[in-house]
Amino acid sequence: MELLEGQTLRHRINGKPLEIETAFDLGIQIADALDAAHSKGIIHRDMKPANIFVTESGQAKVLDFGLAKTLKSKAEVFAGDIDAATELTVAGSMVGTVAYMSPEQVRGKELDARSDLFSFGAVLYEMATGIVPFRGDTSGTIFDLILNRPPTPAVRLNPEVSSELERIISKALEKDREVRYQNASDIRADLQRLKRTTDSARITRQAGVVLAARRPWRLSGVTMVIAATSVMALLVLALNVGSWRERLLGSGSRTRIESLAVLPLENLSGDATQEYFADGMTEELIADISRIGVLRVISRTSAMHYKGTNKTVPQIARELNVDAVIEGSVRRSGNRVRITAQLVHAPTDKHLWAQSYESELKDVLALQSEMARAIAQEVRVQLDPQHELSIASTYKMNPEAHEAYLRSRYYWSQRTEPALKTALQAFQEAVEKDPAFAAAYVALADTYNVLPSFSDFPEKEAHLRAKEAVSKALRLDNMLAEAHAALGYIHEVDWDFADAEHEFQMAIELNPNYASAHQWYAEHLADMGRFDDALNEARRAQEL
């Protein structure tokens, strides 16, 4: 056998999109390999990154034809003539790896080469985005997605994906095989054309930069005076001669903020029974800001320790090791909510920004998203499309469902048997009143996951209910980091370690500030004997 040194495409991707140039190179080679197999009358039937090997020199090899079937002629590869096939598995049976199956595989129909092309489309999608297009915690969930639902557009997960690459992936993932690519050579040709166009554009840009750098400048007398004056001004500012930088630009260059904490919002409703509402709004604001991945945001667990404290902002910031603190208040009157927040630079105790927001209860998610974007702008964080999408919520929630959710979160955090059972009832009430409330399903799953540790609730039943809840959450919103972390926890309990790691990595990619994901991932890594990696994740969880 040929000796191959390198790694599988699955390990190469490892939950992160490949460089687009690399995706082109590998995609063209894989399409070429499929074309070679199909021309010999062989259908692979289990195309996935784990069955594609990338050598150290960057050569792609399609491996593991264990589920392949052979046909008498090349023409029969595309005719789907099951009677002419020499089957390696039972005719009419469903074979392959669930997440990469074609719709006709899911239905147990007769297969032709176009089934491999659908699976290859799923591989292309994963190379471009870092995640598989059809995800779920059960085969039934994944089958439903493959048969009935389009995947999230790749460009929403990776802005480097061009519209033409999006078109190629979408055509490969057509559910109707008559509309899909009809042979591998067509995909290869489209990828080659796109690669050539992309390479030409890049070379043109680079040439333009070189020309601009080499082009001699001819300055008129007036232009030279202006240029000299500008240089002098820049020097004065740079050297801060006579404190002119402060005089011209104010007290300063913008304060650098890389980490912050959201302190518990003060309840100004004049009703002590509304304390849960203020705490819940604090938690949701923390969750929104946490999705700004380049910031380190302290978790709710640590922040709530400072509720009602007399400590100063600089003192709290030193204890939490953060650059800035957000403090404020929430006032609820009927169906109206008003949140006032201010951003404080911790070392100087200087107020950098303050704003008030008001909305109806049903619009509170949009209000919180607006706050998160304003804070990102204030600390000069440039949101990438993925994080912009994750905090740009316009969902109109049911106010009664939201009320039940905040109340249940209040009890959930107490971690006692009576409080958890009260939380469970409230979470169930939330999803009954608003069946599209994805975050409530995640919270329901989290509650079932921990309930057996604090009560006599049957572990097997809790596990099954947690699975059901997180499956519903991901069907509603597959960009929820908390849902992927909960699913990773469930896979870990099932001893499905590879999928557990994938889900934990996905959760951390979607929200690097989600402390529980780092904690559970650390425990998983320790179980795998990868202690250095486990310690790194545990330290990250502790920092948050």
Side-chain angles (χ1 to χ4, degrees):
M1 295 178 68
E2 181 182 10
L3 172 64
L4 299 178
E5 295 181 335
Q7 59 184 166
T8 67
L9 183 58
R10 179 182 179 181
H11 287 97
R12 184 77 175 265
I13 296 172
N14 196 27
K16 297 179 180 177
L18 300 181
E19 293 286 337
I20 293 299
E21 293 174 21
T22 303
F24 283 150
D25 288 337
L26 295 178
I28 290 166
Q29 293 183 59
I30 296 164
D32 196 45
L34 280 178
D35 189 38
H38 293 166
S39 70
K40 296 294 184 182
I42 298 169
I43 306 172
H44 192 287
R45 300 204 296 179
D46 195 21
M47 282 294 298
K48 58 184 179 182
N51 285 342
I52 298 167
F53 197 85
V54 183
T55 68
E56 290 177 351
S57 63
Q59 185 179 14
K61 297 274 189 175
V62 177
L63 309 178
D64 197 352
F65 281 75
L67 292 181
K69 76 175 185 180
T70 58
L71 300 172
K72 289 180 180 177
S73 69
K74 179 179 177 180
E76 289 166 349
V77 178
F78 301 97
D81 185 357
I82 211 77
D83 295 329
T86 303
E87 292 296 337
L88 302 183
T89 51
V90 178
S93 64
M94 186 171 59
V95 296
T97 302
V98 171
Y100 302 91
M101 281 186 178
S102 66
E104 52 268 32
Q105 272 181 295
V106 170
R107 293 190 174 101
K109 300 289 186 181
E110 55 192 42
L111 303 181
D112 58 35
R114 292 170 294 184
S115 178
D116 280 352
L117 303 186
F118 183 94
S119 302
F120 177 44
V123 173
L124 271 179
Y125 184 100
E126 189 169 357
M127 285 197 289
T129 66
I131 64 174
V132 295
F134 307 106
R135 304 171 57 79
D137 64 323
T138 66
S139 297
T141 301
I142 297 173
F143 290 162
D144 177 61
L145 294 173
I146 291 172
L147 292 173
N148 303 311
R149 300 168 188 265
T152 302
V155 70
R156 287 174 57 184
L157 303 176
N158 180 5
E160 296 297 318
V161 174
S162 66
S163 59
E164 179 60 15
L165 180 55
E166 181 83 63
R167 184 197 66 79
I168 293 171
I169 294 171
S170 297
K171 186 173 180 180
L173 289 174
E174 280 285 353
K175 300 184 189 301
D176 182 352
R177 61 181 169 186
E178 297 299 329
V179 184
R180 196 182 304 155
Y181 278 104
Q182 298 298 293
N183 52 69
S185 61
D186 288 344
I187 302 184
R188 180 184 61 207
D190 279 358
L191 287 172
Q192 286 173 329
R193 275 193 293 269
L194 180 56
K195 182 179 185 299
R196 185 174 63 235
T197 302
T198 305
D199 289 346
S200 298
R202 186 179 66 255
I203 291 169
T204 300
R205 285 196 304 270
Q206 291 171 345
V209 171
V210 171
L211 284 172
R214 292 179 178 175
R215 184 179 295 121
W217 290 94
R218 293 181 175 86
L219 302 179
S220 67
V222 174
T223 307
M224 291 181 66
V225 172
I226 295 172
T229 306
S230 300
V231 170
M232 287 296 293
L234 288 170
L235 284 172
V236 168
L237 291 173
L239 299 174
N240 204 21
V241 177
S243 300
W244 269 98
R245 184 169 62 211
E246 280 79 2
R247 297 185 197 182
L248 290 174
L249 302 180
S251 62
S253 53
R254 219 168 249 283
T255 308
R256 186 174 181 82
I257 295 174
E258 297 178 337
S259 56
L260 57 81
V262 180
L263 297 184
L265 297 173
E266 186 180 356
N267 173 25
L268 297 184
S269 301
D271 181 357
T273 63
Q274 291 292 311
E275 206 64 41
Y276 76 88
F277 188 83
D279 288 355
M281 295 297 285
T282 304
E283 181 173 357
E284 290 187 335
L285 184 56
I286 291 172
D288 267 355
I289 299 173
S290 292
R291 294 187 179 98
I292 306 172
V294 293
L295 285 176
R296 180 171 66 89
V297 183
I298 297 300
S299 74
R300 174 207 181 279
T301 312
S302 295
M304 292 306 288
H305 284 302
Y306 295 93
K307 185 172 182 175
T309 185
N310 292 322
K311 294 181 179 180
T312 64
V313 166
Q315 190 176 356
I316 294 170
R318 282 195 300 273
E319 292 177 8
L320 294 175
N321 190 30
V322 293
D323 303 322
V325 166
I326 295 171
E327 57 181 1
S329 61
V330 57
R331 183 189 300 273
R332 178 182 172 185
S333 178
N335 284 327
R336 301 290 298 177
V337 179
R338 182 181 179 85
I339 299 178
T340 300
Q342 52 191 357
L343 180 68
V344 184
H345 181 233
T348 61
D349 204 12
K350 176 185 175 183
H351 289 64
L352 303 178
W353 166 88
Q355 187 63 278
S356 292
Y357 299 85
E358 187 170 348
S359 76
E360 293 185 9
L361 279 175
K362 63 182 173 61
D363 297 321
V364 76
L365 284 184
L367 177 149
Q368 290 167 340
S369 298
E370 185 182 348
M371 288 182 66
R373 283 194 297 271
I375 290 165
Q377 183 179 10
E378 184 59 33
V379 299
R380 288 301 186 263
V381 170
Q382 182 65 45
L383 292 175
D384 61 45
Q386 178 171 317
H387 291 118
E388 178 69 39
L389 180 67
S390 68
I391 66 171
S393 177
T394 56
Y395 175 55
K396 305 281 187 181
M397 69 169 62
N398 180 303
E400 293 180 355
H402 188 231
E403 180 93 8
Y405 176 78
L406 295 183
R407 187 170 67 250
S408 55
R409 273 296 186 192
Y410 178 79
Y411 287 108
W412 146 264
S413 64
Q414 296 177 21
R415 291 296 201 281
T416 65
E417 181 176 356
L420 282 173
K421 288 184 174 179
T422 301
L424 192 64
Q425 292 173 352
F427 283 134
Q428 288 170 333
E429 180 186 346
V431 297
E432 286 169 7
K433 291 182 180 297
D434 189 349
F437 197 170
Y441 283 112
V442 178
L444 198 56
D446 285 343
T447 307
Y448 279 123
N449 275 335
V450 302
L451 194 57
S453 300
F454 293 89
S455 70
D456 57 359
F457 196 92
E459 187 170 357
K460 187 174 181 180
E461 182 182 353
H463 188 58
L464 290 173
R465 292 191 182 185
K467 272 187 175 181
E468 181 183 1
V470 81
S471 174
K472 289 178 179 176
L474 285 168
R475 279 203 299 271
L476 291 165
D477 185 354
N478 66 0
M479 298 292 286
L480 275 179
E482 295 80 1
H484 287 286
L487 182 55
Y489 186 95
I490 291 167
H491 283 319
E492 186 81 4
V493 173
D494 284 340
W495 289 26
D496 189 351
F497 299 124
D499 284 342
E501 177 160 14
H502 187 76
E503 294 298 332
F504 290 140
Q505 289 175 341
M506 183 67 179
I508 290 168
E509 183 178 346
L510 289 170
N511 184 356
N513 289 298
Y514 186 35
S516 294
H518 290 281
Q519 176 194 340
W520 296 338
Y521 188 28
E523 293 170 2
H524 163 81
L525 291 167
D527 289 343
M528 297 295 99
R530 293 159 58 185
F531 300 116
D532 289 342
D533 292 337
L535 280 170
N536 288 336
E537 289 298 325
R539 291 189 184 104
R540 180 62 174 163
Q542 189 177 47
E543 286 172 4
L544 293 167

